[in-house]
Amino acid sequence: MAGTISFNKVPKLPDNWWTGTDADTVWPTWGKTTSYLWGANSGNQFVARGQPLNGGGMASPSGPSLGRGHPQYVGIDTMELSPKANNGVFDILKARLNAGEDIVVPVSMKHGSGDAGMYSLGTGYGLNVQDHVQIHAYVWAKLLDLIAIAAKTEIPSIMWTPDVTQPTDILRKNTHVKLPDLAAVKAWAATLAAAS
């Protein structure tokens, strides 16, 4: 039976988790059979366990993995249109999902803040890159491919995304496209496909 896709917060690992074993330092926080997605770039998408990601946002020292690589912290390149690298990553995720493992797609769940419910894959630094509409269209199409084979998909009713089809960073950051359910997600993916 296939695993679950959950749009949710990626839990933060404890300090210096890379100095211990996964059983001691990682599994108490992360699920042993769960992949956690984050927005990478071509320079830090594939980093060995415990090695620095040298990035910002979800790749920073204040991010969920404290800025270190882990095989289950799966980087999706959201900084450039790179289907070659990302296709391989999505193939791995598909195999994991088919094997019954779960996938968490990052959503900010900071209740009480303006970011509560924000879909967080490529909506930080990724809002400023060239071809951002095409990148988001590609990523959402791949996420829908995974959703199609998942046993269950969990979407928080407060989920939203900046409207990456808008022409400037200020407009994109100040718009909220509500994504409370699968129908809205599919409509958003169709909008992106048409705009790209």
Side-chain angles (χ1 to χ4, degrees):
M1 180 174 175
T4 295
I5 294 181
S6 175
F7 288 80
N8 208 335
K9 177 182 178 181
V10 177
K12 193 173 204 173
L13 293 177
D15 290 345
N16 300 314
W17 63 264
W18 53 90
T19 62
T21 68
D22 284 348
D24 291 336
T25 63
V26 177
W27 304 148
T29 304
W30 284 358
K32 190 174 184 179
T33 58
T34 302
S35 294
Y36 301 89
L37 307 188
W38 62 281
N41 62 52
S42 60
N44 65 8
Q45 185 175 19
F46 304 106
V47 173
R49 182 195 187 280
Q51 296 304 303
L53 295 174
N54 298 318
M58 293 190 77
S60 75
S62 61
S65 74
L66 308 183
R68 302 288 179 137
H70 188 277
Q72 286 174 244
Y73 199 49
V74 180
I76 306 297
D77 189 344
T78 58
M79 298 300 287
E80 58 185 299
L81 195 56
S82 57
K84 184 176 180 182
N86 280 337
N87 282 346
V89 173
F90 279 108
D91 286 345
I92 290 168
L93 291 170
K94 184 177 181 180
R96 290 181 183 180
L97 194 61
N98 277 324
E101 298 187 16
D102 299 324
I103 296 170
V104 174
V105 182
V107 172
S108 173
M109 297 302 279
K110 297 177 189 172
H111 293 283
S113 78
D115 289 343
M118 185 176 78
Y119 165 82
S120 303
L121 196 54
T123 57
Y125 294 111
L127 290 178
N128 304 313
V129 300
Q130 186 177 6
D131 300 327
H132 62 274
V133 177
Q134 292 87 350
I135 293 166
H136 282 270
Y138 166 84
V139 170
W140 277 105
K142 289 297 188 178
L143 290 174
L144 284 175
D145 287 346
L146 293 174
I147 287 169
I149 62 170
K152 181 169 74 168
T153 300
E154 298 171 347
I155 298 172
S157 62
I158 63 169
M159 189 167 81
W160 60 275
T161 183
D163 186 349
V164 300
T165 66
Q166 295 299 312
T168 69
D169 183 49
I170 293 170
L171 284 175
R172 289 193 292 272
K173 286 186 177 178
N174 289 318
T175 56
H176 286 206
V177 177
K178 295 184 180 198
L179 302 173
D181 53 36
L182 188 53
V185 165
K186 287 180 178 179
W188 175 238
T191 297
L192 289 170
S196 66

